[in-house]
Amino acid sequence: GLLLKDFINPDIHTIWVNVDDPEELSGTSRVNQKEVEAVGRVLKLLKQSNGFSEYMNHWDSLKDENKRKEEKEIGLISFYGHQVGKLKEIAKYSRAKLDIQIRLNTVDKFQGMERNIIIVSTVRSDKKIENGITKPNRDIGFAKSPQRLNVALSRAKRLLIVVGNKDFFSQYKNNEGERIYQNVIDIIQKEGLVIDFKELEKTFGNDK
């Protein structure tokens, strides 16, 4: 029942926020700073949405404290551990300033768990920064695994928000030549919303 013009309405259950900025190597892991910013903005927009307070208050009637906490938490997951590390500041801000509890983890460690609202930071991009230089990238890394894809996209019970480079994932082909992400993105475009992060920034400003 969330409503915020130009972002979400009660009929939308899947959103892809397109971020086409470069990824960076971080030790043996990967990070994408622009996706961290996008996740922070998405959480603020959820908080601003009409119906969000009512949605959160709805769970207060649950007598089981653990169940109540679980229903209120927003799941925030990524394929990469170092990106999870980067997202810790966003999770901290969310708890302190937005009064939104976050369950933050890698996709692999989230297996077997579900939350009503899930935000996935995919990290990988068709551009990478190496030694301060931006170069083309074709490697999709951990996201090659259909099992990981399935876990990442099936943790949400009510609302799934994917933050990532839409065209890079849409065009990726596995060893059999199948575009394993294209179908997912097509469905989100048809039944949900695909929006560019730059558009969100333009529409909602930088300080909201």
Side-chain angles (χ1 to χ4, degrees):
L2 307 183
L3 177 64
L4 183 64
K5 189 174 180 292
D6 299 320
F7 179 62
I8 194 170
N9 67 58
D11 295 324
I12 288 177
H13 297 277
T14 52
I15 298 173
W16 189 295
V17 178
N18 182 46
V19 175
D20 66 357
D21 288 65
E23 61 179 66
E24 289 184 69
L25 193 60
S26 174
T28 57
S29 191
R30 306 270 167 171
V31 295
N32 190 314
Q33 185 56 42
K34 188 58 77 172
E35 286 190 19
V36 175
E37 291 175 34
V39 168
R41 173 53 56 93
V42 163
L43 286 165
K44 288 178 186 176
L45 294 180
L46 288 173
K47 176 73 174 182
Q48 289 173 32
S49 300
N50 289 330
F52 189 78
S53 295
E54 291 85 346
Y55 163 77
M56 284 297 184
N57 294 338
H58 169 76
W59 307 111
D60 287 336
S61 59
L62 293 173
K63 291 185 173 64
D64 185 321
E65 188 182 341
N66 288 331
K67 183 70 174 164
R68 188 166 66 243
K69 182 183 173 188
E70 188 178 301
E71 296 289 7
K72 286 188 170 195
E73 276 181 341
I74 290 179
L76 177 51
I77 58 179
S78 178
F79 293 117
Y80 289 88
H82 283 205
Q83 185 76 347
V84 169
K86 289 260 184 192
L87 290 164
K88 278 182 181 171
E89 281 304 309
I90 297 294
K92 206 156 115 184
Y93 174 86
S94 174
R95 293 180 190 113
K97 302 292 186 184
L98 303 178
D99 194 27
I100 298 174
Q101 295 303 310
I102 301 291
R103 174 54 66 100
L104 174 64
N105 227 322
T106 60
V107 170
D108 288 353
K109 288 182 180 171
F110 217 86
Q111 197 155 355
M113 287 192 274
E114 288 182 323
R115 289 297 182 272
N116 286 313
I117 300 171
I118 292 282
I119 303 171
V120 183
S121 173
T122 60
V123 177
R124 302 312 295 252
S125 175
D126 57 359
K127 297 173 283 293
K128 61 182 176 182
I129 297 173
E130 282 185 4
N131 303 318
I133 300 166
T134 302
K135 302 176 179 178
N137 176 55
R138 290 185 184 152
D139 182 16
I140 209 162
F142 287 150
K144 285 175 188 158
S145 163
Q147 290 82 6
R148 279 195 174 95
L149 169 62
N150 185 52
V151 171
L153 301 184
S154 62
R155 301 302 92 198
K157 291 191 278 186
R158 295 169 186 268
L159 175 63
L160 170 68
I161 301 173
V162 182
V163 176
N165 189 320
K166 177 180 71 72
D167 290 343
F168 184 54
F169 278 84
S170 181
Q171 290 163 16
Y172 168 72
K173 293 179 183 177
N174 65 12
N175 290 336
E176 285 74 47
E178 299 166 327
R179 292 187 173 183
I180 60 172
Y181 285 90
Q182 187 177 29
N183 188 44
V184 170
I185 294 168
D186 287 348
I187 290 170
I188 294 174
Q189 276 183 314
K190 186 179 174 185
E191 299 179 8
L193 172 72
V194 173
I195 188 163
D196 200 277
F197 180 47
K198 292 184 181 77
E199 285 300 311
L200 282 183
E201 289 184 304
K202 201 184 295 180
T203 303
F204 295 100
N206 288 323
D207 300 315
K208 285 188 179 181

